[in-house]
Amino acid sequence: MTISIGIFLLSLFCIVALFAGKYWELRSERVLLPVWREKLDMRAQQLKELMDAARVDVAKLPPEALRVSRIAVHQLALGFAAFARTAEGYAHRLADVVSYKHRFEKRDTRSEFLKKVAEHKSGNGSNESGGNNTTSQL
């Protein structure tokens, strides 16, 4: 905050000094530093012409900037998708390497209870209800 106040006060002082210098020139009918004044006037004229040319270029900028930004976002999305696909492949390979079940294949269970349950569900087990498996017909 102190720096901002210092810059503001310096700017205010310089503006007041310019007006005071112009007032002194008008009152005494003399020009301060005429050689510098000519050079500065020429540079100011060049800057004005440059700003006029830049205004025309800036007027064309929004449509071009929109097109360029759309292309940039599209390319960024495609790049991120390619990166995600590559990362997915590496993640699967890493998981496969780290897994103790390397190249997992389904095997039969070693539990007798689970074997009996599987046999019962498939219909190979004995029927505990004792009998009537009749279906009603309409």
Side-chain angles (χ1 to χ4, degrees):
M1 186 69 164
T2 306
I3 295 172
S4 300
I5 292 172
I7 292 172
F8 172 74
L9 291 176
L10 178 65
S11 300
L12 182 64
F13 175 75
C14 289
I15 291 171
V16 170
L18 285 173
F19 280 113
K22 187 64 176 175
Y23 177 73
W24 181 82
E25 283 182 352
L26 290 174
R27 207 174 44 132
S28 66
E29 296 179 0
R30 291 172 52 188
V31 177
L32 286 175
L33 306 168
V35 176
W36 282 22
R37 171 79 56 94
E38 262 184 59
K39 289 180 183 179
L40 289 175
D41 285 344
M42 184 181 67
R43 295 288 183 188
Q45 192 65 28
Q46 289 174 345
L47 181 63
K48 182 181 176 190
E49 291 171 3
L50 185 65
M51 287 173 56
D52 286 339
R55 186 179 316 144
V56 173
D57 291 339
V58 169
K60 290 187 264 182
L61 186 63
E64 289 179 15
L66 182 64
R67 184 179 57 83
V68 168
S69 66
R70 184 189 62 79
I71 292 170
V73 168
H74 180 73
Q75 291 299 321
L76 186 66
L78 290 176
F80 183 75
F83 170 75
R85 279 191 302 274
T86 304
E88 177 190 18
Y90 283 124
H92 282 289
R93 277 200 277 165
L94 177 66
D96 201 28
V97 168
V98 173
S99 174
Y100 69 92
K101 295 180 179 181
H102 194 63
R103 304 280 184 230
F104 178 73
E105 293 177 11
K106 190 172 180 178
R107 294 181 299 193
D108 287 334
T109 182
R110 290 184 284 180
S111 168
E112 289 298 321
F113 173 75
L114 291 176
K115 285 180 184 178
K116 287 181 182 178
V117 170
E119 285 176 8
H120 180 72
K121 283 190 173 186
S122 67
N124 295 337
S126 64
N127 193 355
E128 292 181 15
S129 63
N132 291 338
N133 275 345
T134 59
T135 58
S136 62
Q137 297 177 357
L138 295 174

